[in-house]
């Protein structure tokens, strides 16, 4: 098998033109997914069954099915429904980019809420009691004691989820988006050189993963130095 | 003296208090009243309900029957009331429970700022004042994990004092400490007692009980078995259970 170095050198800059879209998918769905995850967490730990049960079902469905299926249902399935086409979200769901963001957000929100819950459950009960004993309200205890400690506890799991999400953005190429993976597939279709092109795109993803891990490693070190003994 | 005078003199009053965990009865018909400025030491074997009793006083546990009145407020399920009562009752735990993500001085400033709504500058002044009282002002900007156990417990005491509480509850404050650190914490508590603080202290430090307590309470199996001034309690214990307990801990 011959390996076409020139093709690699040629296709990497082309694929990098898709990196902006990859990052848009990543950062937008990460921000929205984090907000959704926090909301789901609060519903889940509200102590009210009519809030926590639907949340658990939601989480179960989105964690228990392939994200590719979720993307297809949102992209191909929802437009079949008239009330979706008439609804306020149609401008978003009409576009493949909007569908990808919605799917990635709903999916990562489900995962993140479970990660956050793990963090909250990991906070020492004695610390919450110390807050109670000082007269802090439930809300103040959550904001000033539970949340800051929980965030530190779940940072490693959170950073893993960011890497997963980054990899999942490649699935957006299945619904016509020209992110890095979408461009790679286009180049392969033109050149019939899958090895060179996919290996190149793999290297780019690896570098992004490395950057994400380094960034979180640094944040973790800074934030957690006093919390973990 | 009328009934209401007696009540107002008692800063803490427990009447016929029962507490269950499931089927297990952890407190049985507890009666205890504590006057302003009084120092009570509570002792008894493990599992006798000492922690449960003092945790009921600031409602970290909810009692199932009887009546608890703290500083004129009866403890009920009214949440607003509870936060107000708790802010007047300081508590020190066996395991210190300092907030690990906050520096020492911020540990002390948090509750005054959030609950008492004092300014940041004022909260810091008060915090520094109490850190000096417990003799570790130089540790203000460190984090809890950087302090020794004895220092952490003194910080915990200072943190409670910053709320200017009417009563202090201590749950075995020295039993997680290495022996050489016990006295630095007991010294702080003794000073506090001399200044007239109302205190309920669960401890097996009998030297402290002798020198500081107005009364010693002995609990066993969820009941208050005996309550007497230290002299009487140690020299002349009434019940067999107290005698047995004293013989066990005094030989240690
Ligand atoms: N949250 C709980 N759930 C169930 N049982 C409990 C709970 N807390 C305490 N108990 C039980 O209540 C009894 C009294 O416990 P408590 O902690 O008050 O004892 P203690 O006198 O403080 O003992 P120690 O000296 O070991 O601290 C024990 O038998 C304990 O197992
Ligand atoms: Mg105890």
């Amino acid at each position: 098998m011959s390996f076409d170095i020139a093709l690699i050198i040629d296709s990497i800059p082309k694929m990098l033109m898709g990196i902006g879209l990859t990052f848009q998918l990543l950062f937008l769905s990460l921000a929205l997914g984090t907000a959704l995850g926090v909301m789901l967490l609060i519903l889940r730990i509200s102590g009210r069954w009519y809030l926590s049960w639907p949340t658990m079902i939601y989480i179960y469905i989105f964690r228990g099915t392939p994200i590719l299926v979720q993307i297809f249902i949102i992209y191909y399935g929802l437009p079949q429904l008239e009330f979706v086409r008439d609804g306020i979200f149609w401008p978003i769901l009409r576009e493949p980019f909007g569908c990808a963001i919605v799917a990635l957000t709903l999916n990562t929100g489900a995962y993140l809420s479970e990660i956050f819950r793990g963090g909250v459950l990991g906070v020492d009960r004695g610390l919450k009691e110390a807050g109670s004993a000082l007269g802090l309200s439930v809300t103040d205890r959550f904001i000033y004691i539970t949340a800051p400690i929980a965030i530190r506890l779940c940072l490693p799991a959170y950073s893993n989820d960011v890497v997963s999400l980054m990899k999942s953005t490649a699935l957006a190429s299945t619904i016509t988006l020209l992110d890095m993976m979408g461009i790679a597939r286009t180049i392969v279709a033109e050149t019939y050189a899958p090895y060179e092109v996919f290996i190149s795109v793999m290297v780019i993803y690896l570098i992004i993963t490395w950057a994400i891990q380094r960034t979180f490693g640094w944040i973790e070190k800074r934030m957690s130095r006093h919390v973990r003994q | 003296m009328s009934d209401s005078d007696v009540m107002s003199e008692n800063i803490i009053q427990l009447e016929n208090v029962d507490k269950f965990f499931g089927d297990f009865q952890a407190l049985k018909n507890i009666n205890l009243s504590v006057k302003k400025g009084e120092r009570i030491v509570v002792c008894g074997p493990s599992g006798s309900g000492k922690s449960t009793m003092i945790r009921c006083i600031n409602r970290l546990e909810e009692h199932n029957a009887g009546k608890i009145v703290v500083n004129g407020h009866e403890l009920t399920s009214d949440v607003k009331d509870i936060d107000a009562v708790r802010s007047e009752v300081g508590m020190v735990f066996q395991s210190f429970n300092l907030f690990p993500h906050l520096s020492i001085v911020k540990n002390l400033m948090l509750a005054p700022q959030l609950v008492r709504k004092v300014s940041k500058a004022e909260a810091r002044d008060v915090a520094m004042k109490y850190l000096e009282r417990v003799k570790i002002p130089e540790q203000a900007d460190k984090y809890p994990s950087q302090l020794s156990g004895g220092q952490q417990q003194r910080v915990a005491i200072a943190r409670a004092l910053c709320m200017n509480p009417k009563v202090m509850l201590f749950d075995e404050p020295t039993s997680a400490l290495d022996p050489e650190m016990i006295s630095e914490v007991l010294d702080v508590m003794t000073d506090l007692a001399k200044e007239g603080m109302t205190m309920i202290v669960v401890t097996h430090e009998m030297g402290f009980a002798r020198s500081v307590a107005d009364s010693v309470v002995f609990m066993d199996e969820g009941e208050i078995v005996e309550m007497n001034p230290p002299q009487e309690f140690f020299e002349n214990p009434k019940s067999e259970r107290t005698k047995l307990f004293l013989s066990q801990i005094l030989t240690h």
Side-chain angles (χ1 to χ4, degrees), chain B:
Chain B
M1 205 159 48
S2 76
D3 245 20
S4 69
D5 285 338
V6 177
M7 282 302 287
S8 64
E9 229 189 298
N10 288 334
I11 195 156
I12 294 174
Q13 177 116 17
L14 286 79
E15 287 173 26
N16 309 321
V17 171
D18 290 339
K19 167 71 192 172
F20 290 86
F21 291 109
D23 288 339
F24 177 77
Q25 185 163 10
L27 294 180
K28 299 171 188 163
N29 196 32
I30 298 289
N31 287 284
L32 178 73
S33 36
V34 181
K35 293 191 187 63
K36 198 169 179 323
E38 223 177 351
R39 280 103 19 162
I40 310 286
V41 163
V42 181
C43 61
S46 181
S48 57
K50 308 178 296 292
S51 298
T52 306
M53 181 175 80
I54 69 166
R55 288 162 59 83
C56 280
I57 292 171
N58 64 359
R59 213 170 168 78
L60 291 179
E61 305 287 356
E62 295 177 12
H63 58 289
N64 302 107
K67 187 170 162 185
I68 301 180
V69 183
V70 177
N71 200 22
H73 296 268
E74 180 170 355
L75 301 189
T76 60
S77 48
D78 183 351
V79 181
K80 266 262 163 296
D81 221 31
I82 292 310
D83 289 339
V85 170
R86 282 173 174 164
S87 68
E88 304 289 339
V89 178
M91 178 139 184
V92 175
F93 301 84
Q94 179 176 352
S95 50
F96 326 137
N97 295 346
L98 298 179
F99 307 129
H101 60 298
L102 299 177
S103 67
I104 297 304
V105 68
K106 294 243 166 76
N107 260 274
L108 272 64
M109 291 162 64
L110 186 69
Q113 284 183 275
L114 292 174
V115 181
R116 301 262 190 260
K117 314 286 180 206
V118 306
S119 72
K120 200 171 173 183
E122 194 184 332
R124 181 175 287 275
D125 288 346
V126 173
M128 289 314 297
K129 180 179 105 185
Y130 283 108
L131 282 179
E132 266 165 53
R133 283 255 304 259
V134 300
K135 306 183 183 72
I136 34 178
E138 73 282 359
Q139 310 288 348
D141 294 316
K142 288 197 183 160
Y143 283 80
S145 62
Q146 296 170 301
L147 269 57
S148 73
Q151 291 173 325
Q152 290 192 52
Q153 193 61 296
R154 285 185 280 156
V155 171
I157 294 171
R159 179 175 69 179
L161 291 174
C162 281
M163 290 296 282
N164 202 8
K166 303 219 162 48
V167 188
M168 288 282 285
L169 308 175
F170 295 82
D171 192 359
E172 304 207 35
T174 57
S175 52
L177 297 176
D178 294 335
E180 71 273 17
M181 294 173 185
I182 290 177
S183 67
E184 67 189 50
V185 172
L186 291 179
D187 287 349
V188 167
M189 291 166 61
T190 306
D191 287 348
L192 207 55
K194 281 187 193 137
E195 288 158 24
M197 177 63 81
T198 312
M199 298 162 71
I200 302 182
V201 184
V202 176
T203 185
H204 291 161
E205 293 295 330
M206 290 303 139
F208 177 80
R210 272 180 205 276
S211 64
V212 172
D214 296 307
S215 309
V216 182
V217 171
F218 173 67
M219 290 183 74
D220 194 14
E221 296 181 353
E223 295 172 306
I224 292 185
V225 175
E226 194 159 339
M227 174 163 175
N228 267 317
Q231 178 84 9
E232 179 77 2
F233 182 85
F234 291 110
E235 311 306 330
N236 196 7
K238 301 278 179 308
S239 96
E240 289 307 317
R241 286 194 276 180
T242 315
K243 285 180 196 162
L244 179 66
F245 175 76
L246 286 177
S247 72
Q248 282 165 346
I249 67 164
L250 294 179
T251 53
H252 279 312

Side-chain angles (χ1 to χ4, degrees), chain A residues 26-62:
Chain A
L26 171 61
F27 290 125
L28 201 52
S29 47
L30 181 63
L32 295 171
T34 301
L36 176 64
V38 171
M39 269 162 42
L40 292 172
L41 165 75
I42 290 169
L43 296 176
R44 178 92 158 77
I45 62 174
S46 63
R48 289 179 201 146
W49 66 268
Y50 53 88
L51 298 177
S52 62
W53 282 21
T55 312
M56 280 158 70
I57 293 168
Y58 171 90
I59 293 170
Y60 184 70
I61 291 174
F62 276 86

Side-chain angles (χ1 to χ4, degrees), chain A residues 60-182:
Chain A
Y60 184 70
I61 291 174
F62 276 86
R63 298 207 317 163
T65 57
I67 181 162
L68 187 60
V69 176
Q70 295 162 18
I71 291 178
F72 282 178
I73 287 179
I74 290 168
Y75 182 65
Y76 295 113
L78 291 187
Q80 315 270 327
L81 305 171
E82 196 173 322
F83 74 90
V84 173
R85 290 198 303 273
D86 295 338
I88 50 162
F89 293 115
W90 184 235
I92 296 170
L93 293 170
R94 197 173 55 193
E95 304 290 337
F97 180 76
C99 288
I101 291 292
V102 169
L104 292 170
T105 298
L106 295 180
N107 181 274
T108 210
Y111 277 95
L112 287 177
S113 80
E114 285 294 280
I115 289 173
F116 295 156
R117 195 171 74 98
V120 166
L121 294 181
V123 177
D124 184 356
R125 188 165 137 254
L127 299 178
K128 297 178 213 170
E129 285 183 352
S132 305
L134 287 163
L136 267 58
S137 66
V138 182
T139 320
D140 281 346
R141 290 198 303 266
F142 188 79
I143 296 174
Y144 294 96
I145 301 170
T146 308
I149 297 170
I151 288 171
R152 289 161 169 84
L153 293 178
C154 61
L155 260 179
Y158 186 83
S159 88
N160 281 339
D161 197 72
V162 175
V163 171
S164 298
L165 178 62
M166 193 276 291
K167 293 183 293 187
S168 301
T169 60
L171 294 170
S173 67
T174 62
I175 54 171
T176 75
L177 286 173
L178 289 178
D179 67 327
M180 289 195 304
M181 188 63 189

Side-chain angles (χ1 to χ4, degrees), chain A residues 186-213:
Chain A
T186 315
I187 300 174
V188 169
E190 288 163 359
T191 60
Y192 304 105
Y195 288 114
E196 287 86 345
V197 176
F198 285 140
I199 286 175
S200 315
V201 82
M202 202 169 139
V203 169
I204 302 177
Y205 279 118
L206 272 180
I207 292 172
I208 299 176
T209 298
W210 176 83
I212 293 172
Q213 285 172 339

